[in-house]
Amino acid sequence: MKIQNNSVVGLTYELKVSKTEDEIESAPFSVEVRDEEDPFYFLFGQSGLPEKFEELLAGQKQGEEFSFTLTVEEAYGEADDELILNLPKSQFSGEQGFNKEMLEEGNFLPLMDENGYPMQAKILKDLGEELLLDFNHPLVGFDLHFDGKVIEVREATKEELDHGHVHGEHGEHD
């Protein structure tokens, strides 16, 4: 089966990122490896991943290897200053499941948006009573270099399509 809309796709890959500043590109450095022990599964066409990522995988079959780069514009774009906010520390209390160690600069806070979807914010600075948080995607401003292999392609079940995500061993358990 070829990768197409509404198929479940399993990948192994190494993701490297690079940044271009003043027309000089940094050497790509590895930020994530998904191997046979921890493959990445997603519902093609409903993944929320960059459109170009899915476009470059479309039509591939199980066992095929891939290697491509997404530019900043094709990936997550540039940082949006409007997504950097000061929020009161009181919103991140023990009652909400946060602890002091979680609120240290540089950490990513696991959060939920108003619709209950998981998101994260990076703590840029502890301002005493407030935290300066960056809600931009962690990969904004980077070119993304993928090298990997398609390890599975199958039809999504009706339940997976209804819920919009993969179920079972490599997905969410509902």
Side-chain angles (χ1 to χ4, degrees), residues 150-166:
V150 179
I151 60 166
E152 185 177 352
V153 182
R154 66 170 173 79
E155 279 186 48
T157 65
K158 181 181 181 331
E159 185 180 39
E160 288 171 325
L161 293 173
D162 289 347
H163 291 183
H165 58 252
V166 179

Side-chain angles (χ1 to χ4, degrees), residues 33-170:
V33 174
R34 299 298 292 261
D35 58 18
E36 297 280 345
E37 299 293 314
D38 183 30
F40 175 65
Y41 276 78
F42 66 99
L43 187 55
F44 194 85
Q46 296 186 43
S47 68
L49 296 166
E51 197 174 303
K52 188 72 174 180
F53 178 83
E54 288 196 351
E55 186 181 305
L56 292 168
L57 288 173
Q60 292 204 1
K61 294 183 279 207
Q62 185 171 325
E64 290 188 11
E65 294 185 0
F66 58 89
S67 181
F68 55 78
T69 298
L70 302 182
T71 64
V72 169
E73 295 76 24
E74 295 167 332
Y76 293 100
E78 296 292 349
D80 182 348
D81 290 341
E82 292 184 18
L83 295 176
I84 298 176
L85 306 167
N86 287 349
L87 291 177
K89 256 193 204 173
S90 59
Q91 289 187 357
F92 306 101
S93 67
E95 292 82 50
Q96 279 111 0
F98 295 96
N99 63 48
K100 190 174 167 70
E101 290 77 39
M102 294 172 78
L103 302 181
E104 294 175 4
E105 290 179 15
N107 285 351
F108 285 90
L109 291 177
L111 304 170
M112 295 228 175
D113 69 12
E114 61 274 0
N115 298 317
Y117 291 105
M119 59 185 293
Q120 62 183 6
K122 183 177 183 178
I123 301 174
L124 298 178
K125 189 133 185 79
D126 184 336
L127 303 169
E129 296 298 311
E130 294 184 321
L131 294 173
L132 180 61
L133 300 177
D134 184 350
F135 286 88
N136 282 291
H137 191 283
L139 296 174
V140 297
F142 289 100
D143 292 331
L144 309 181
H145 308 267
F146 288 93
D147 290 296
K149 184 175 182 178
V150 179
I151 60 166
E152 185 177 352
V153 182
R154 66 170 173 79
E155 279 186 48
T157 65
K158 181 181 181 331
E159 185 180 39
E160 288 171 325
L161 293 173
D162 289 347
H163 291 183
H165 58 252
V166 179
H167 288 200
E169 182 184 354
H170 300 292

